[in-house]
């Protein structure tokens, strides 16, 4: 494959790769660096690409390995990271002011509950062991097949299935315990709280009815609710949506707060 | 009801008693790739999630490592077990105690079963010179072995069925 064709193909995959790396790292800076490094490494190794897997799979394998190298020695986030960040945000007037400024002035400053569901998933999936987080994102968000993921992470299909299953079970358990959108006993109401702040004239119930996961929560089993959550996340490009600037700013805040928290704990 | 004998039927356990030893074995056919079963058997921290007979395992399940296991057999006791042999996706041995006085050896085996199944066999032999004195205080392993094997089957088959 010549450079010109490779560049065109890489550009096609860049948005999904960037979103994947953002969800892995919870950092816009890390994600941008990793995309750049993936390009350089792939380009340098282009002569070694034999076409045994699709180019997309090959690019994601490089990106995944770079992300793994970066994150291997970093601590996992706690399951209640969003609680810690909420407390920090409420005590930080500067941050709240910036949020409001973005909300009022940016074309990508809308607050949408769907976007917050995707944002929340990024934060909570960072509490998984690295391999589980990687496999979960590759399968449930990027929609690779098990066989392709085995090639990407350099492990067996059996282990991919195992990681995927354990990751799903952990995430389902966390959401069942925390998310008030799907569970009456859910302790986290940040979606509705933030919607009240950013969209004060909106009727929350009307908004929730538009989200199948919330609307049908009582009638669906936990696995199906998780699949519906994944469908929401699949449909969102965290860089291109109408809520992108607001959510990325919020994510950057959370990353900083959790890094400080992990240093002290 | 657990059977006593040397040839357990699928999903059931059997115990053979001798003067200086006791051997319990359970066997079950599992419709899952041995790699999935192996992953379940070797990820210590994940055990309590799927295995209702284990309340906790600390340590790494790797050759030469010692793990600290708490079981529903006796929740107050911590079993310190050494992983002595491991052949990935085939066999693993855990041991505790001190020969020749008292020693426990637990073996897990995976072999190709009929119709693409994986046959899981779990065997524990406890014995030694002190065994006759301790025997009456050692609980019946059969129900726990059956539970273990059936939990493993259920979890491994659930994972196997995951979409490709």
């Amino acid at each position: 494959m010549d450079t010109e064709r490779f560049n065109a193909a890489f550009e096609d995959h860049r948005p999904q790769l960037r979103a994947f790396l953002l969800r892995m790292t919870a950092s816009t800076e890390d994600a941008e660096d990793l995309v750049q490094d993936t390009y350089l490494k792939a380009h340098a190794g282009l002569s070694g690409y034999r076409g045994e897997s699709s180019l997309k799979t090959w690019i994601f394998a490089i990106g995944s390995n770079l992300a793994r190298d970066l994150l291997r020695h970093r601590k996992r986030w706690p399951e209640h990271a969003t609680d810690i960040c909420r407390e920090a945000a409420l005590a930080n007037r500067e941050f709240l002011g910036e949020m409001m400024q973005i909300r009022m002035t940016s074309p990508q400053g809308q607050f949408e509950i769907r976007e917050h569901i995707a944002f929340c998933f990024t934060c909570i999936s960072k509490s998984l062991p690295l391999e589980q987080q990687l496999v979960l994102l590759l399968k449930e968000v990027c929609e690779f097949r098990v066989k392709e993921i085995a090639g990407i992470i350099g492990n067996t299909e059996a282990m991919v299935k195992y990681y995927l299953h354990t990751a799903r079970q952990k995430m389902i358990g966390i959401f069942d315990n925390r998310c008030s959108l799907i569970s009456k006993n859910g302790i986290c109401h940040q979606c509705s709280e933030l919607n009240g702040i950013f969209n004060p004239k909106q009727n929350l119930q009307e908004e929730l009815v538009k989200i199948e996961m919330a609307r049908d929560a009582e009638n669906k089993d936990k696995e199906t609710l998780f699949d519906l959550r994944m469908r929401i996340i699949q449909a969102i490009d965290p860089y291109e949506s109408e809520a992108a600037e607001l959510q990325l700013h919020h994510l950057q805040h959370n990353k900083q707060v959790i890094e400080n928290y992990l240093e002290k704990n | 009801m657990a059977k006593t004998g040397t040839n357990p039927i699928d999903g059931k356990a059997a115990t053979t008693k001798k003067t200086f030893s006791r051997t319990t074995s359970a066997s079950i056919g599992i419709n899952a790739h041995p790699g999935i079963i192996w992953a379940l058997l070797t990820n210590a921290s994940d055990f309590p999630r799927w295995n209702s007979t284990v309340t906790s395992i600390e340590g790494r399940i790797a050759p030469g490592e010692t793990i600290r296991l708490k079981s529903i057999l006796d929740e107050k006791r911590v079993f310190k077990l050494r992983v002595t042999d491991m052949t990935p996706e085939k066999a693993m041995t855990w041991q505790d105690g001190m020969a020749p006085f008292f020693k426990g050896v637990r073996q897990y085996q995976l072999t190709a079963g009929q119709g693409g199944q994986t046959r899981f066999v779990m065997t524990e032999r406890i014995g030694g010179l002190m065994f006759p004195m301790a025997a009456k205080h050692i609980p019946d392993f059969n129900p726990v072995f059956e539970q273990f094997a059936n939990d493993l089957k259920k979890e491994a088959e659930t994972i196997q069925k995951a979409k490709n």
Side-chain angles (χ1 to χ4, degrees), chain B residues 109-142:
Chain B
Q109 283 187 309
L110 301 177
T111 52
Q114 290 177 335
Q117 277 195 331
T118 301
R119 169 92 5 214
F120 168 71
V121 180
M122 175 165 107
T123 305
E124 181 151 347
R125 182 186 181 278
I126 47 175
L129 297 172
M130 305 281 281
F131 178 76
M133 283 181 278
K136 65 181 177 185
H137 301 295
I138 300 172
D140 180 8
F141 284 4
N142 283 6

Side-chain angles (χ1 to χ4, degrees), chain A residues 145-146 158-159 161-162 165-166, chain B residues 39 43 46 155 159-160 164:
Chain A
R145 296 176 68 79
V146 167
M159 281 308 291
K161 284 192 168 189
Y162 173 72
H165 179 76
T166 47
Chain B
N43 280 277
D46 190 37
E155 186 68 2
I159 297 172
Q160 181 68 48
N164 284 312

Side-chain angles (χ1 to χ4, degrees), chain B:
Chain B
M1 193 70 176
K3 286 195 171 184
T4 298
T6 54
N7 188 22
I9 57 173
D10 202 56
K12 294 290 177 187
T15 295
T16 305
K17 293 175 181 172
K18 294 182 179 174
T19 307
F20 288 98
S21 70
R22 196 182 84 179
T23 303
T24 303
S25 187
S27 168
I28 198 163
I30 301 176
N31 293 308
H33 188 279
I36 291 173
I37 303 168
W38 189 255
L40 288 166
L41 290 173
T42 53
N43 280 277
S45 61
D46 190 37
F47 253 79
R49 182 184 61 78
W50 62 268
N51 190 319
S52 57
T53 74
V54 174
T55 51
S56 75
I57 300 186
E58 290 173 16
R60 284 176 61 236
I61 301 176
E65 298 281 331
T66 299
I67 54 172
R68 295 163 61 85
L69 182 148
K70 284 188 185 174
S71 162
I72 57 168
L73 269 174
D74 184 352
E75 300 213 29
K76 291 177 191 157
R77 198 178 151 201
V78 179
F79 296 90
K80 290 177 194 163
L81 304 156
R82 194 169 158 78
V83 182
T84 55
D85 285 303
M86 253 182 147
T87 307
E89 299 187 14
K90 290 202 166 100
M92 175 165 64
T93 305
W94 298 354
Q95 295 189 19
D96 71 348
M98 191 183 290
F101 303 106
F102 198 91
K103 189 175 180 184
V105 179
R106 179 178 288 196
Q107 291 179 307
Y108 302 97
Q109 283 187 309
L110 301 177
T111 52
Q114 290 177 335
Q117 277 195 331
T118 301
R119 169 92 5 214
F120 168 71
V121 180
M122 175 165 107
T123 305
E124 181 151 347
R125 182 186 181 278
I126 47 175
L129 297 172
M130 305 281 281
F131 178 76
M133 283 181 278
K136 65 181 177 185
H137 301 295
I138 300 172
D140 180 8
F141 284 4
N142 283 6
V144 169
F145 269 46
E146 288 174 6
Q147 208 171 315
F148 187 119
N150 282 287
D151 283 351
L152 181 65
K153 177 182 171 70
K154 186 179 168 201
E155 186 68 2
E157 290 181 354
T158 302
I159 297 172
Q160 181 68 48
K161 283 178 200 154
K163 282 177 267 175
N164 284 312

